[in-house]
Amino acid sequence: MQQATNTGDRHGWITTEVVKTRFGDFAFENGYPTREAADALLDQLVFNRAIEVYLTQIPPVAIIETRRGLREFGARSANQVVVWESLMDSQTLLLTANTETVYALGFLDLNGDGPTVVEAPPHMFGNANDTLQRFLVDIGPLGPDKGQGGKYLFLPPGHQGSVPDGYFVVRSPTYSVLFGVRGFLVNNSTDQAVSLMKQIKVYPLAQASDPPAMEYLNGSGQPIDTIHSDTITFFEQLAQLVEEEPGDVFTPLERAHMKSIGIEKGKPFAPDERQLALLAEAAHAAAAIARANTFASRDPEVPYYADRQWEGIGDTPYTFMRDGVLMVDRRAWVYYMALGNDPAMMAKNVGVGSQYLWTYRDADGNFLDGAKTYRLRVLPQIPINNFWSIVVYDAISRSELQNGKPFPSISQYTNPTVNADGSVDIWFGPELPAGQERNWIRTVPGRGWFPIFRFYGPLEPFYDKTWKLNDIERVNG
């Protein structure tokens, strides 16, 4: 007896029809896709996977591109460290760096050099991240040296050898490690911080008795470019990283997604002409999504204040894990415009460390426009133990805005004019408002921009929000 076939509407099965979607219409006959439909749908699957790969792998690609930029500048080995001796100016393209602290950055190659020692000077603030931009260790007051300096020994993945005494031992799950330290101005001078940074020593443990000479490269005023791309280059850099690092640093699902677009450890990334066109389109679309996710997030936890446009980290875990769930979109929201991971950056530390607020919009909710004029009135009694600053960034590069001046910023160090009630007006626009020479940051027509307001040594009123940062108000234009 022939069994009846259940073709009821309850299942919504695809039969002979044209399936209409936002990314195209696809013909089916008797439940089967036509050849054209199958090809288009499978291409769409690769396209979707490529977008997910882009959004999930922003942190490691940002790290590998930073390494590329430093290598192109001349820091090609671990004993070569870049120091921005006259502060980080707008010639350097580095994700949302500040203009008030002295930076030093370097990379370790634990595959080529093996266990590597970093001798950190005292009174520095810094950390080290692995290639996936995951926190490894603090350097300085929040680290094991407690601000007194000391020797950090970085061990490569799977290291089985003996570990000598006398070191702060850091086991890295990746071979490439980014380390950086910051120093503060003293009497408005970088001299002391630079002098301390030039005491940094980096060498393979095997050469501890006769370490190679250090080389400190001055990055100030130099066109260093460390920013990852919105193009197929993103996937090319990721493929390089996958080849360099242990396979298990990525989850099985991440490896599956990467394999589906041609990125697999042990095999060359060599898409044919058709695949290349598809991935190039996907990379640009993914970058567009990343920009929307960062600049126009729908995440209800992104606003720092319920009634303002300012955004902040809030209680985001530095691991981006909550209740066993990886906060993928939150992580992409941060790392498309920022570099570096440290628990201290995302923790409440009253009176020490730093906290940041940023906004892409004015008080009316419109994106900030380089052709228009705005004012920010900063209320008196800013809740800080140390100092405050505001730096303006280019929405395209997410680096310091290149506006014809080296430092697109205002801070306590620049001595802005203070109003009679203790408030400070900060002006943004393409033309100087009359009498506001010390309180104006030039913007550039045709370029979107955004500010980051930094609180160094934030006090309790910052955290409990009894003191609030006003929105930026459009004045004219």
Side-chain angles (χ1 to χ4, degrees):
M1 179 177 177
Q2 184 176 4
Q3 185 174 352
T5 301
N6 183 351
T7 57
D9 292 338
R10 178 176 67 84
H11 298 92
W13 286 324
I14 294 172
T15 58
T16 298
E17 61 182 285
V18 174
V19 177
K20 297 181 180 296
T21 75
R22 66 176 55 233
F23 46 84
D25 298 343
F26 306 97
F28 280 74
E29 296 175 0
N30 301 322
Y32 291 110
T34 64
R35 182 181 299 276
E36 294 79 8
D39 286 344
L41 284 166
L42 293 175
D43 279 352
Q44 186 64 42
L45 178 60
V46 173
F47 189 86
N48 293 348
R49 292 267 172 79
I51 287 176
E52 285 305 312
V53 168
Y54 191 108
L55 295 175
T56 54
Q57 302 307 324
I58 288 172
V61 173
I63 286 283
I64 206 84
E65 288 280 27
T66 300
R67 187 185 70 180
R68 174 201 52 74
L70 297 186
R71 283 180 173 177
E72 289 179 356
F73 179 60
R76 299 182 182 90
S77 59
N79 65 311
Q80 295 172 310
V81 176
V82 181
V83 181
W84 281 263
E85 298 185 22
S86 303
L87 300 175
M88 183 81 72
D89 58 78
S90 59
Q91 287 299 303
T92 294
L93 298 183
L94 185 76
L95 291 174
T96 53
N98 74 63
T99 60
E100 286 73 45
T101 58
V102 184
Y103 285 90
L105 291 177
F107 270 91
L108 308 183
D109 176 9
L110 302 181
N111 191 25
D113 295 337
T116 300
V117 178
V118 176
E119 292 190 15
H123 312 303
M124 293 284 101
F125 289 81
N127 60 38
N129 284 192
D130 75 1
T131 317
L132 272 61
Q133 207 164 161
R134 298 176 299 193
F135 170 78
L136 291 177
V137 68
D138 273 311
I139 298 170
L142 299 176
D145 70 277
K146 305 301 181 184
Q148 301 305 305
K151 297 179 179 181
Y152 289 76
L153 176 59
F154 290 84
L155 301 178
H159 178 77
Q160 299 295 324
S162 61
V163 179
D165 295 331
Y167 296 93
F168 303 120
V169 177
V170 184
R171 293 184 179 272
S172 174
T174 65
Y175 291 113
S176 190
V177 173
L178 168 67
F179 73 92
V181 295
R182 293 186 298 167
F184 294 100
L185 299 177
V186 176
N187 297 323
N188 212 27
S189 170
T190 65
D191 290 350
Q192 180 173 311
V194 171
S195 176
L196 286 169
M197 286 176 178
K198 289 187 176 181
Q199 297 175 28
I200 295 172
K201 295 181 180 179
V202 186
Y203 49 86
L205 179 64
Q207 299 179 30
S209 61
D210 186 23
M214 290 296 298
E215 183 177 356
Y216 308 97
L217 308 176
N218 185 3
S220 292
Q222 300 298 317
I224 302 172
D225 180 359
T226 70
I227 306 301
H228 56 84
S229 75
D230 290 355
T231 72
I232 188 69
T233 303
F234 185 98
F235 296 131
E236 294 169 345
Q237 292 292 83
L238 178 60
Q240 176 186 338
L241 185 154
V242 167
E243 189 60 31
E244 292 179 0
E245 297 293 349
D248 60 4
V249 300
F250 296 101
T251 68
L253 182 59
E254 287 175 317
R255 295 199 297 273
H257 283 173
M258 286 189 280
K259 182 177 179 180
S260 71
I261 68 169
I263 298 175
E264 184 176 5
K265 188 174 178 65
K267 295 183 179 180
F269 177 59
D272 60 28
E273 186 175 345
R274 179 172 171 276
Q275 294 166 333
L276 190 65
L278 181 64
L279 292 178
E281 181 187 352
H284 216 53
I289 293 171
R291 287 178 181 272
N293 182 64
T294 291
F295 297 147
S297 174
R298 293 175 176 173
D299 187 333
E301 295 185 25
V302 161
Y304 190 71
Y305 308 112
D307 59 346
R308 308 286 167 95
Q309 301 292 340
W310 293 94
E311 301 179 5
I313 290 295
D315 63 353
T316 302
Y318 78 94
T319 59
F320 293 94
M321 292 289 295
R322 180 182 291 168
D323 300 327
V325 177
L326 178 61
M327 306 164 75
V328 175
D329 293 340
R330 184 80 62 86
R331 186 177 65 179
W333 166 72
V334 170
Y335 285 122
Y336 197 72
M337 54 77 75
L339 183 74
N341 188 339
D342 193 315
M345 296 170 61
M346 301 185 183
K348 180 178 179 179
N349 294 297
V350 177
V352 296
S354 56
Q355 287 289 329
Y356 313 147
L357 296 180
W358 58 91
T359 184
Y360 310 110
R361 302 176 186 270
D362 64 18
D364 296 322
N366 299 312
F367 285 120
L368 297 166
D369 184 339
K372 297 177 172 58
T373 299
Y374 304 86
R375 185 192 67 182
L376 168 65
R377 174 157 291 175
V378 183
L379 296 178
Q381 299 179 334
I382 301 171
I384 50 169
N385 191 39
N386 298 320
F387 68 96
W388 62 267
S389 81
I390 187 166
V391 183
V392 166
Y393 300 92
D394 176 13
I396 296 173
S397 71
R398 292 91 71 207
S399 302
E400 291 178 24
L401 181 67
Q402 295 183 340
N403 64 358
K405 296 185 177 182
F407 304 114
S409 59
I410 291 173
S411 72
Q412 280 182 242
Y413 291 135
T414 65
N415 297 314
T417 300
V418 178
N419 298 326
D421 65 355
S423 65
V424 177
D425 287 338
I426 300 175
W427 294 82
F428 313 90
E431 302 294 336
L432 172 65
Q436 300 297 330
E437 289 84 356
R438 291 163 58 185
N439 293 51
W440 170 60
I441 301 176
R442 175 185 286 137
T443 59
V444 180
R447 310 288 289 196
W449 62 275
F450 64 92
I452 296 182
F453 198 104
R454 288 175 168 86
F455 301 77
Y456 290 92
L459 300 177
E460 188 61 41
F462 169 84
Y463 292 105
D464 66 20
K465 302 173 186 175
T466 53
W467 185 96
K468 290 184 178 182
L469 196 56
N470 283 331
D471 278 331
I472 295 174
E473 298 178 324
R474 179 176 162 184
V475 176
N476 60 43

